[in-house]
Amino acid sequence: MKKFTILFRRFLPPYKKYVVANVLCNFLSTIFSLFSFATIMPILQILFGIDNERHSYMAWSWSSDFNAIGSALKNNVFFAIEQHIDLNGAGNTLLMLGIFLIIMTFFKVGLHYLAGFYMTPIQYGVLRDLRQSLFKKIITLPLGFFSEERKGDVLSRMTVDVTEIGISIMSSLDILFKNPLMIVIYMGVMFALSWELTLFVLLLLPVSGYIIGRIGKSLKKRSFLGQNQTGELLSQIEETLSGLRVVKAFNAENKLENRFGILNETVRRTFNRINRKYISAHPVSELLGTITIVVLLWYGGTLILNKESAITASTFIYYLIIFYSIIQPAKDISKATFTIQKGLASLDRVDVLLQAEDKIKEKENPIALNSFENEIAFNNVSFRYQKDWVLKQINLVVPKGTTVALVGQSGSGKSTMVDLIPRFYDVQKGSITIDGIDIRDAKLFDVRSLMGNVNQEAILFNDSFYNNITFGVEKATAEEVIAAAKIANAHEFIVATESGYETNIGDRGGKLSGGQRQRISIARAILRNPPILILDEATSALDTESEKLVQEAIEHLMANRTSIVVAHRLSTIKKADLICVLHEGEIVERGKHDELIALNGYYKRLCDMQSF
């Protein structure tokens, strides 16, 4: 429950008025239910002649003690009913009591409805806020976090676990605000009617609580395992959908089907066990409640038959009705306890995301970086993802308006270098500066606003051409979008589609060819018009014709900009102002194309291999 209390402290403050309204309605509903139950006593007395004694008016005042006031009110109500019977007959009195019962029940159920009415915005509001917080956390976490987490598992936490928490919130709100209130009020009336019987009942309840608690504790452990397995299941589905082309190409359908079947069966068995324990809550509490009522009937009946208690037969029936009314909220508490245990397991998984540390932190008073005037500099930069250093003592200056190309074998650190500039990761040693300002001291938003990225894999969204090109650019006009598309050699194939710029391009741009996707990505960068351009092997995955069109678009994009290019095909960077050759995390050669060829070193060997 401690974690749910933390959850409420985080998310309940905006819904305080609904909480107050819910508690008030539940309180009044419980009071009216007591009045409706009380009608049973005179009805039984009229029908069956229980407690044949006559009553006379009893004077009372507010200065009297609570018991005296209660006794006087009860006595005078019976006195008034007896007077009404004498004047109007028993049938008419029964009708009046029935109408009173209907009115009290109307107020009871009406207020119960209002309590639920005010509970609904709390549940779904908290659920929305939790999803929003999760989504905000996901998009602010550094890229390194997701290299260790499966996307499918993250999706599971965002959907399955959050839904489970929503169900648990409803149950826990009932436990906190509704059921305890009902039980306390009912128990107070029971003590007023017979403290001996109530103390006897209280001796029986801890046994029930212990049994239910033991089952609930084991349920949480199983639920945590079940949600983890659901995350694995979603991960397999996501990986299969992403790699469907490879699956079909290698005739691996049976292999994946068998792998999925094994995990799917494991999930089935786990949730079988979870659900069997969960559905045991109702029968267990029902049995324990029935045992308690039987024992109470025996004990209370013995007291009445032996004349050892002041409680009358009709009052004892009223007492039993109230006690039976306690059983349902008590059952709900036991059932909700099981639901909360499942929700706590989900909350533990969600908290992995919510409590994840964002290692890319911004200083309290960061420096504004609104323009790029001079240079980007790597100063003795070293970086590692885990244990081994990926970059070692990198020193590099990129003056404004120049093009610097990074080349080298796979794993030499090229992509890592360009990922450090927009602070996708932070360096462990040294610093990266823009115009002499350490990027860790500048506003993160400002740093990234100066840059445009075109990656090897064109990252597009399931939206229109227009919205993909304007992604991240506020208030772009249609003319500006068309101009950017023309520069990127994308306008012709866009207008050839059925709806032009409003055509949906499919999931990840699946309706487009590789070259078309890349040109849309370049158009997006052109529209943003950044002073610094980062190109990470933008043409490496394209055929010759597409490469030519994309290369033309890139040259338009690079004009009058500072460009850092990660090159796989060396033919694309011959005109670069500076080429840096990386090998095992170090810059081993640097210079222009002709100078590096003349050195007859790493670069020359790379060129020879590509020429061959």
Side-chain angles (χ1 to χ4, degrees), residues 346-364:
S346 291
L347 187 61
D348 286 340
R349 283 170 42 78
V350 167
D351 263 345
V352 172
L353 290 178
L354 287 177
Q355 305 301 328
E357 183 185 1
D358 187 354
K359 296 179 181 179
I360 310 298
K361 294 178 180 177
E362 193 172 85
K363 291 196 170 181
E364 287 187 12

Side-chain angles (χ1 to χ4, degrees), residues 381-383 388-394 407-414 581-588 602:
V381 169
S382 295
F383 175 81
D388 299 327
W389 291 100
V390 179
L391 296 175
K392 308 166 191 173
Q393 297 293 312
I394 299 294
V407 301
Q409 63 190 23
S410 296
S412 59
K414 307 183 297 297
V581 183
L582 275 82
H583 180 70
E584 294 183 354
E586 298 179 274
I587 298 178
V588 292
Y602 287 98

Side-chain angles (χ1 to χ4, degrees), residues 73-283:
L73 286 174
K74 177 184 172 185
N75 178 85
N76 292 340
V77 166
F78 275 102
F79 172 73
I81 291 171
E82 288 165 4
Q83 293 295 310
H84 194 278
I85 292 172
D86 293 340
L87 291 172
N88 302 293
N92 183 273
T93 304
L94 276 175
L95 178 62
M96 292 299 103
L97 288 171
I99 292 171
F100 178 79
L101 178 60
I102 291 170
I103 293 169
M104 290 299 102
T105 303
F106 171 78
F107 282 115
K108 170 191 167 185
V109 297
L111 287 161
H112 182 75
Y113 165 75
L114 285 176
F117 180 86
Y118 290 118
M119 178 71 79
T120 300
I122 300 173
Q123 181 193 7
Y124 292 104
V126 170
L127 200 59
R128 175 203 61 195
D129 296 342
L130 182 57
R131 281 200 197 101
Q132 195 68 33
S133 295
L134 267 174
F135 190 79
K136 181 180 178 181
K137 186 71 176 183
I138 284 170
I139 60 177
T140 54
L141 282 171
L143 296 178
F145 177 84
F146 297 100
S147 62
E148 299 174 7
E149 293 284 337
R150 291 185 173 189
K151 282 189 283 185
D153 195 46
V154 173
L155 288 173
S156 174
R157 295 177 199 197
M158 282 283 293
T159 52
V160 179
D161 288 306
V162 167
T163 302
E164 198 65 59
I165 291 170
I167 296 168
S168 299
I169 284 171
M170 195 67 160
S171 298
S172 57
L173 285 172
D174 278 348
I175 283 181
L176 288 175
F177 301 126
K178 178 186 172 185
N179 295 335
L181 184 68
M182 294 175 67
I183 290 171
V184 167
I185 292 173
Y186 287 152
M187 289 295 288
V189 174
M190 286 167 61
F191 265 110
L193 293 173
S194 174
W195 62 268
E196 302 106 315
L197 282 175
T198 308
L199 283 178
F200 182 72
V201 168
L202 290 176
L203 292 174
L204 299 176
L205 292 181
V207 179
S208 305
Y210 174 77
I211 294 170
I212 291 168
R214 290 286 295 179
I215 300 172
K217 194 174 272 188
S218 65
L219 185 66
K220 180 186 174 184
K221 195 179 294 183
R222 284 282 178 193
S223 294
F224 187 82
L225 175 64
Q227 300 298 9
N228 278 338
Q229 289 173 352
T230 302
E232 286 183 46
L233 201 70
L234 283 174
S235 291
Q236 278 199 22
I237 295 170
E238 191 274 333
E239 286 174 359
T240 303
L241 291 175
S242 300
L244 207 53
R245 185 183 298 272
V246 176
V247 173
K248 291 180 179 298
F250 284 85
N251 291 323
E253 290 92 340
N254 288 337
K255 180 178 180 180
L256 283 184
E257 185 182 346
N258 291 335
R259 188 177 73 164
F260 183 82
I262 292 169
L263 181 57
N264 200 21
E265 175 62 17
T266 304
V267 171
R268 183 193 70 82
R269 289 176 182 171
T270 300
F271 278 95
N272 269 354
R273 295 189 188 103
I274 290 170
N275 207 45
R276 281 169 179 164
K277 284 194 175 181
Y278 177 70
I279 60 177
S280 70
H282 178 74

Side-chain angles (χ1 to χ4, degrees), residues 314-417:
S314 60
T315 306
F316 180 58
I317 292 170
Y318 179 46
Y319 183 93
L320 286 177
I321 292 170
I322 294 174
F323 177 73
Y324 194 79
S325 299
I326 284 181
I327 290 177
Q328 190 55 50
K331 276 190 211 171
D332 290 343
I333 286 178
S334 68
K335 193 172 182 180
T337 303
F338 285 60
T339 306
I340 287 171
Q341 292 298 334
K342 290 176 70 181
L344 284 174
S346 291
L347 187 61
D348 286 340
R349 283 170 42 78
V350 167
D351 263 345
V352 172
L353 290 178
L354 287 177
Q355 305 301 328
E357 183 185 1
D358 187 354
K359 296 179 181 179
I360 310 298
K361 294 178 180 177
E362 193 172 85
K363 291 196 170 181
E364 287 187 12
N365 298 301
I367 301 167
L369 194 62
N370 299 320
S371 62
F372 174 54
E373 303 296 339
N374 298 310
E375 63 182 25
I376 303 168
F378 286 73
N379 307 300
N380 294 314
V381 169
S382 295
F383 175 81
R384 61 185 173 191
Y385 292 104
Q386 292 176 339
K387 292 182 179 180
D388 299 327
W389 291 100
V390 179
L391 296 175
K392 308 166 191 173
Q393 297 293 312
I394 299 294
N395 287 284
L396 176 65
V397 175
V398 183
K400 181 179 180 180
T402 60
T403 297
V404 173
L406 306 177
V407 301
Q409 63 190 23
S410 296
S412 59
K414 307 183 297 297
S415 294
T416 300
M417 271 189 72

Side-chain angles (χ1 to χ4, degrees), residues 436-554:
I437 299 171
D438 192 322
I439 58 174
R440 290 171 294 188
D441 298 330
K443 284 184 180 179
L444 185 59
F445 182 85
D446 289 352
V447 170
R448 292 176 181 172
S449 294
L450 296 174
M451 301 171 193
N453 287 68
V454 180
N455 303 302
Q456 178 179 0
E457 180 187 356
I459 299 170
L460 302 176
F461 300 92
N462 193 352
D463 208 333
S464 65
F465 283 114
Y466 187 91
N467 288 338
N468 270 281
I469 293 173
T470 58
F471 187 80
V473 179
E474 300 291 335
K475 298 178 181 178
T477 64
E479 291 76 14
E480 289 171 336
V481 172
I482 292 170
K486 285 180 177 178
I487 295 170
N489 290 334
H491 178 71
E492 288 184 7
F493 74 78
I494 291 174
V495 295
T497 59
E498 184 179 352
S499 303
Y501 281 84
E502 295 305 319
T503 301
N504 187 287
I505 64 173
D507 186 36
R508 301 182 185 181
K511 295 179 181 179
L512 309 177
S513 68
Q516 289 173 333
R517 287 197 295 269
Q518 198 63 281
R519 279 177 276 167
I520 296 298
S521 181
I522 291 168
R524 181 168 61 199
I526 291 170
L527 184 64
R528 190 174 188 183
N529 194 26
I532 301 168
L533 183 64
I534 297 173
L535 301 170
D536 189 355
E537 301 193 13
T539 62
S540 64
L542 305 179
D543 59 83
T544 305
E545 184 178 354
S546 296
E547 180 188 355
K548 182 181 178 182
L549 290 168
V550 171
Q551 190 60 40
E552 285 179 10
I554 288 173

